[in-house]
Amino acid sequence: MADQPEEVTRLMEAIKAFEAIEDDEACAVAVSQALKDWPEHQVRLRELRQQRVQALKAQGKTWEEIGRLLGGISAARAQQIAAGVSGAQRRKAAAQKQAER
C-alpha cells in the first residue's frame, strides 16, 4: 500500500474499519448507510477522473502514457474514460453488437 496515493489508503482503511465493527447489527447499519450514497460518490469519482484525464491529454500526454498512469490500461480505454464512456456502456454496446449478429 506504500505506493498508492494517501487517499486510496484512507479509503481502504475505512473499509477495514467497517470490518472491525464487532456488533453485526451496527456493522450492517453502518455499511448500509455508506452504500446508500455510494452511487453518487461513484459518479463524482468518475467525473473527476474524466476531467483529470482530459487535462493530462491537454498537457500533451499520449493516450498510451495516460493508460500507464491509470494502472496499465489500454490507450483505447484511456480515450474512453476521457469521453465519459463507462464500463456499463461498453458492455451494453458489446451486447447489442452481439445480438445483431
Side-chain angles (χ1 to χ4, degrees):
M1 284 207 291
D3 61 338
Q4 63 188 12
E6 178 185 344
E7 294 78 10
V8 174
T9 300
R10 289 196 320 240
L11 180 59
M12 296 301 108
E13 288 171 352
I15 292 170
K16 288 179 184 177
F18 284 120
E19 294 171 340
I21 299 172
E22 292 185 20
D23 180 87
D24 292 332
E25 182 178 325
C27 181
V29 168
V31 170
S32 292
Q33 289 174 346
L35 288 173
K36 178 180 157 222
D37 292 330
W38 182 248
E40 180 182 325
H41 297 305
Q42 188 175 17
V43 167
R44 289 175 57 200
L45 285 170
R46 287 182 188 281
E47 289 171 349
L48 178 58
R49 179 178 64 173
Q50 179 183 4
Q51 292 167 359
R52 297 304 175 105
V53 166
Q54 291 170 345
L56 289 168
K57 185 62 178 165
Q59 292 169 22
K61 296 213 180 292
T62 67
W63 292 121
E64 290 81 11
E65 290 171 324
I66 295 168
R68 278 194 302 276
L69 287 170
L70 297 180
I73 64 171
S74 70
R77 180 64 190 126
Q79 281 183 290
Q80 290 169 344
I81 289 168
V85 178
S86 72
Q89 290 169 320
R90 291 190 335 264
R91 287 186 295 277
K92 184 177 178 181
Q96 285 177 336
K97 195 174 189 179
Q98 182 68 25
E100 292 172 358
R101 290 183 184 170

